[in-house]
Amino acid sequence: MSTDNVVEIQNLSFAYPSGRKVLSNIDLAIPRGKVIGIMGQSGCGKTTLLRMIGGALRPSQGDVRVFGTSLRGMSQRQIYALRRRMSMLFQFGALFTDMSSFENVAFQMREHTTLDEALIRDLALMKLHAVGLRGAEHLMPSELSGGMARRVALARAIALDPELMMYDEPFAGLDPISLGVIGQLIRKLNDALGATSIIVTHDIQESLKIVDYIYFVADGRVIAEGSAEQVKASLEPYVHQFVWGEADGPVPFHYPARDYVADLLGSPGA
Amino acid sequence: MNRTTIDLWVGIFVALGLAALVFLSLQVANLTGGTSGATYTLTARFDDLGGLKVKAPVKSAGVVVGRVADVRFDNQTFEAVVTLRVERRYEFPSDTSAKILTSGVLGDQYVGLLPGGDIENLQDGDAIELTQGAIVLENLISKFLFNSTSGSDAKKDANGPEDEFEE
Amino acid sequence: MMNPAPMLRRLGATTINALWRLGFATRFLLATVRHTPAAFRRLPLTVREIYFAGVLSLTIILVSGLFVGMVLGLQGYDTLARFGSSEALGVLVALSLVRELGPVVAALLFASRAGSAITAEIGLMKATEQLDAMEMMAVDPIARVIAPRFWGGVLAMPLLGMLFTATGIIGGFLIGVVMIGVDAGQFWSQMQSAVDLRQDVLNGVFKSFVFGIAVTWIAVFEGYEAPPTAEGVSGATTRTVVTSALVILALDFVLTSFMFMR
């Protein structure tokens, strides 16, 4: 593969120690500068995939290469060094509840740099300004609405100008306006920072507006991929069902059951 | 919560805690009083200590003048040797006598010093010659019992019931 | 006939699980202690935790201490008066508080006030992915979250224990001397001659210190290991209080037998 891929995943499988298999034989490449969507139903292993890119979980099989180096056999210290170049937006923001918006954004600057207080203040306010919440610097997370909290979390995620951004369900539980705002911010920040973004989501309509390329994951494997236009036009039954939100299709509406007629008409003792 | 407010409260908290420690050390455990000042040691031999323990007070005329520092048994003379640590500011004549007494009927035992009339005073390391051991309650009771049964012979001396038995 | 195998298997599984948990908790404690320099290099973090563990427990500690001391004064006087030695009230109040009640009751209150709060806070941080987020920012949560809370609790506990003991003795004084009329001089002087600084007071403080380590360790471990759900966090909070109470009483027995029985 070309070296301009920020993340390369080869033949990756993952199973929990309990034996439950989550991912099998995944191949992915995330090229630099792009916004990539990874879509799939809830519980199909998307978040697991993100955690593996972040080095929080180790693959059972296969390899993950981030910024050209393999995570295989990396020490905790090396993984921490790698994580400073990436950033993750968690499902519900995961803001530190005991700190104000400003302190949340300044957190990484205080932890990882020796910048003086005045500079940290300027930088943090710039990040908050980028998400339109410079005026909310003193508010605590409990005083923010869901959409605002997500934007503060976004400002926190870009605090140290990461090269790789990962979004875990960035649209979950947002009203339509906030949803549009977050979507636009993800795209704008990615282009402004020259970063690469991975969006894990099941919100297909919103993400189709902003992503360059999409992978579909179902039952632990990649079943389809393509650009936004290709996906919309796709006739592949699963993709079609997913994109258009149909109740029945390759993913059945009914949980596997006995034959309906036989179940109702057959005598209970038979 | 503001940083300076937290600092202030934690400061108050630590100060209160230290004040409690000072209170416990000075007012409750009396670090300053007792034998913390300059002291000198005296020894005294007793035939019977009763329940005297290390750290028991040494009193003269009812005032605490020192503490029992050590108690041991002399295997040559079969007596108990008690080391007393007396405060430097109290001096006693060299013919002072020591008694083991009890505070109240069932209270703790202490060493009582009864000053004599000598001109010279006891020095550090001196021994008190005149001593009287503890009155052991069992001995007292049995003496009383035997005295009352043996009627007129009761005026035998105080050396105990054994003597009476032998007679 | 009953088959003993399943019962034995269950016993074995329980034992192995308990040992595994204990081992895990020990490794967790070692990791926390290894990050001690982080907690003290950034003192404001630890000071903040002293505030939450110590200052916020002050009210309950002081009020309870006062009442325990007053009850000791009443009960002690009632009993001692029967033997005509009510002047020994000071000794009774002081020794029972300094040696036993102060450290133990303060630690029990600390476990239910501060310990449960620490568990709930850490458990909630875990449930809302705050700890994961920190981890992804290349900040070790054990250094940033656990170690300051651990040391905050460990440092606050002895201070709280001493404050409990001191207010308790004042409570005993109020009841015994001010209300009932035991002679103040006798009250204090008998206390002073019976209470030894090293043997009684410092041993009591040492007990407090050990209880502080135990309670805070349990609290941070339960929080960190709580299942990341609402039920998980509430269950962990309950476990903190119950485990702490049992551990405090067991440790108290062990420490007392080493300290005072010779």
Side-chain angles (χ1 to χ4, degrees):
Chain A
M1 285 191 210
S2 90
T3 48
D4 213 35
N5 286 338
V6 175
V7 179
E8 288 175 6
I9 292 175
Q10 289 151 13
N11 192 29
L12 172 109
S13 297
F14 180 79
Y16 280 108
S18 61
R20 195 165 74 85
K21 217 160 182 194
V22 186
L23 298 170
S24 51
N25 305 89
I26 299 253
D27 283 294
L28 278 181
I30 315 279
R32 188 176 300 277
K34 301 287 188 213
V35 177
I36 304 295
I38 296 178
M39 319 245 159
Q41 283 182 284
S42 310
C44 73
K46 302 179 305 256
T47 304
T48 311
L49 196 61
L50 273 197
R51 282 173 188 269
M52 250 175 298
I53 296 172
L57 290 173
R58 308 254 165 159
S60 319
Q61 203 190 93
D63 196 10
V64 179
R65 298 172 73 83
V66 181
F67 304 127
T69 42
S70 168
L71 295 190
R72 185 168 281 277
M74 260 195 185
S75 71
Q76 191 68 16
R77 187 180 294 268
Q78 287 169 309
I79 285 183
Y80 268 25
L82 204 66
R83 280 185 191 162
R84 294 203 192 185
R85 300 169 63 188
M86 53 172 95
S87 184
M88 185 153 165
L89 180 72
F90 281 82
Q91 193 160 2
F92 291 102
L95 288 176
F96 301 131
T97 37
D98 55 344
M99 298 180 199
S100 67
S101 311
F102 174 82
E103 286 299 323
N104 262 288
V105 177
F107 180 79
Q108 285 188 85
M109 304 176 191
R110 293 195 203 286
E111 293 289 330
H112 290 317
T113 69
T114 51
L115 302 176
D116 62 43
E117 190 56 39
L119 199 53
I120 286 181
R121 194 188 127 77
D122 291 351
L123 281 175
L125 286 182
M126 278 162 65
K127 301 297 178 191
L128 278 171
H129 185 76
V131 299
L133 289 176
R134 187 164 43 85
E137 55 163 327
H138 294 302
L139 297 184
M140 298 301 281
S142 55
E143 298 167 308
L144 298 170
S145 72
M148 285 162 81
R150 206 69 57 86
R151 277 150 76 185
V152 172
L154 190 52
R156 183 180 70 177
I158 58 168
L160 293 183
D161 298 336
E163 297 168 51
L164 173 63
M165 291 286 307
M166 291 182 279
Y167 298 91
D168 186 6
E169 302 286 3
F171 307 118
L174 290 184
D175 61 86
I177 298 175
S178 306
L179 208 120
V181 170
I182 293 285
Q184 289 312 307
L185 275 174
I186 290 174
R187 181 78 235 187
K188 264 198 340 220
L189 290 173
N190 186 71
D191 297 344
L193 293 171
T196 308
S197 298
I198 305 173
I199 305 177
V200 156
T201 180
H202 49 239
D203 194 315
I204 183 83
Q205 297 306 334
E206 194 56 41
S207 36
L208 277 179
K209 293 182 201 159
I210 55 170
V211 298
D212 297 312
Y213 202 77
I214 296 174
Y215 287 94
F216 275 94
V217 179
D219 298 329
R221 57 186 81 234
V222 177
I223 57 157
E225 55 184 282
S227 66
E229 288 71 32
Q230 286 170 328
V231 164
K232 273 190 222 166
S234 173
L235 293 177
E236 209 273 322
Y238 178 84
V239 176
H240 194 266
Q241 184 190 6
F242 197 98
V243 172
W244 303 105
E246 289 156 354
D248 209 355
V251 181
F253 170 70
H254 288 290
Y255 189 82
R258 279 176 294 173
D259 183 66
Y260 191 40
V261 176
D263 219 7
L264 291 185
L265 296 182
S267 58
Chain B
M1 176 75 66
N2 194 327
R3 168 83 189 280
T4 44
T5 324
I6 288 182
D7 284 355
L8 176 69
W9 271 107
V10 171
I12 293 173
F13 172 57
V14 173
L16 275 178
L18 293 181
L21 180 63
V22 170
F23 171 76
L24 291 179
S25 318
L26 298 187
Q27 182 68 15
V28 176
N30 197 14
L31 181 67
T32 48
T35 55
S36 65
T39 57
Y40 63 103
T41 49
L42 300 172
T43 56
R45 295 171 167 270
F46 294 96
D47 54 350
D48 194 337
L49 286 184
L52 189 74
K53 292 190 191 69
V54 173
K55 289 207 175 117
V58 176
K59 295 183 184 180
S60 187
V63 178
V64 177
V65 295
R67 299 266 167 200
V68 172
D70 185 38
V71 169
R72 65 189 169 82
F73 182 66
D74 184 340
N75 211 13
Q76 300 299 310
T77 59
F78 305 109
E79 284 175 319
V81 181
V82 174
T83 310
L84 309 175
R85 191 162 286 147
V86 180
E87 286 180 55
R88 180 60 78 189
R89 57 192 161 131
Y90 301 122
E91 300 213 312
F92 293 93
S94 56
D95 59 344
T96 294
S97 64
K99 267 187 194 175
I100 294 180
L101 299 166
T102 309
S103 48
V105 184
L106 297 170
D108 275 347
Q109 280 172 315
Y110 65 95
V111 178
L113 295 181
L114 189 66
D118 208 295
I119 308 160
E120 279 184 48
N121 283 335
L122 286 166
Q123 299 301 314
D124 186 33
D126 281 0
I128 296 173
E129 302 297 342
L130 300 166
T131 63
Q132 185 188 321
I135 298 166
V136 178
L137 202 61
E138 289 90 328
N139 294 350
L140 205 68
I141 290 169
S142 51
K143 193 160 89 185
F144 172 74
L145 285 176
F146 280 106
N147 282 357
S148 53
T149 46
S150 54
S152 58
D153 286 346
K155 288 263 152 33
K156 288 286 176 211
D157 84 32
N159 250 354
E162 293 94 331
D163 302 47
E164 302 233 10
F165 235 22
E166 281 159 19
E167 279 185 358
Chain C
M1 225 186 73
M2 220 180 85
N3 186 5
M7 261 169 64
L8 286 175
R9 205 175 301 131
R10 197 148 1 120
L11 180 68
T14 314
T15 313
I16 288 172
N17 190 36
L19 281 178
W20 184 86
R21 212 172 152 75
L22 190 66
F24 197 74
T26 308
R27 277 182 53 190
F28 181 74
L29 179 69
L30 291 180
T32 308
V33 170
R34 206 169 46 240
H35 285 294
T36 302
F40 287 101
R41 202 164 40 235
R42 309 207 14 214
L43 209 55
L45 290 179
T46 306
V47 168
R48 203 182 130 85
E49 299 311 325
I50 295 180
Y51 175 83
F52 284 117
V55 176
L56 296 186
S57 306
L58 266 182
T59 320
I60 189 170
I61 288 285
L62 294 181
V63 172
S64 310
L66 193 68
F67 277 108
V68 167
M70 296 202 307
V71 169
L72 271 179
L74 281 177
Q75 294 279 21
Y77 178 80
D78 189 50
T79 309
L80 288 173
R82 292 185 205 176
F83 301 102
S85 46
S86 53
E87 318 79 46
L89 185 63
V91 180
L92 181 117
V93 170
L95 277 187
S96 34
L97 275 167
V98 167
R99 286 179 161 194
E100 282 299 325
L101 289 176
V104 171
V105 179
L108 291 175
L109 293 171
F110 180 76
S112 42
R113 173 67 185 78
S116 61
I118 290 174
T119 304
E121 194 195 9
I122 296 176
L124 217 61
M125 288 184 81
K126 192 181 175 197
T128 53
E129 296 186 308
Q130 293 179 47
L131 297 184
D132 285 334
M134 210 173 263
E135 181 99 358
M136 283 304 294
M137 294 177 195
V139 175
D140 190 344
I142 294 191
R144 183 62 172 66
V145 174
I146 305 294
R149 279 168 179 74
F150 178 75
W151 285 108
V154 169
L155 293 177
M157 184 67 251
L159 294 172
L160 290 173
M162 289 189 291
L163 280 167
F164 186 96
T165 307
T167 38
I169 290 171
I170 291 170
F173 172 81
L174 287 179
I175 290 295
V177 175
V178 178
M179 248 187 67
I180 299 178
V182 174
D183 180 56
Q186 285 277 14
F187 184 88
W188 290 117
S189 67
Q190 290 220 8
M191 186 192 298
Q192 285 166 1
S193 62
V195 178
D196 185 81
L197 179 69
R198 211 186 59 77
Q199 182 74 13
D200 299 319
V201 175
L202 293 188
N203 271 347
V205 175
F206 180 72
K207 268 187 180 182
S208 266
F209 181 67
V210 174
F211 295 160
I213 293 178
V215 171
T216 326
W217 176 22
I218 291 169
V220 291
F221 178 71
E222 288 290 355
Y224 196 75
E225 276 303 299
T229 59
E231 306 87 66
V233 175
S234 74
T237 311
T238 312
R239 261 202 312 283
T240 293
V241 177
V242 173
T243 317
S244 295
L246 292 177
V247 168
I248 288 165
L249 295 173
L251 271 179
D252 183 49
F253 173 75
V254 174
L255 287 175
T256 305
S257 57
F258 272 108
M259 284 172 175
F260 301 117
M261 302 299 137
R262 255 174 291 170

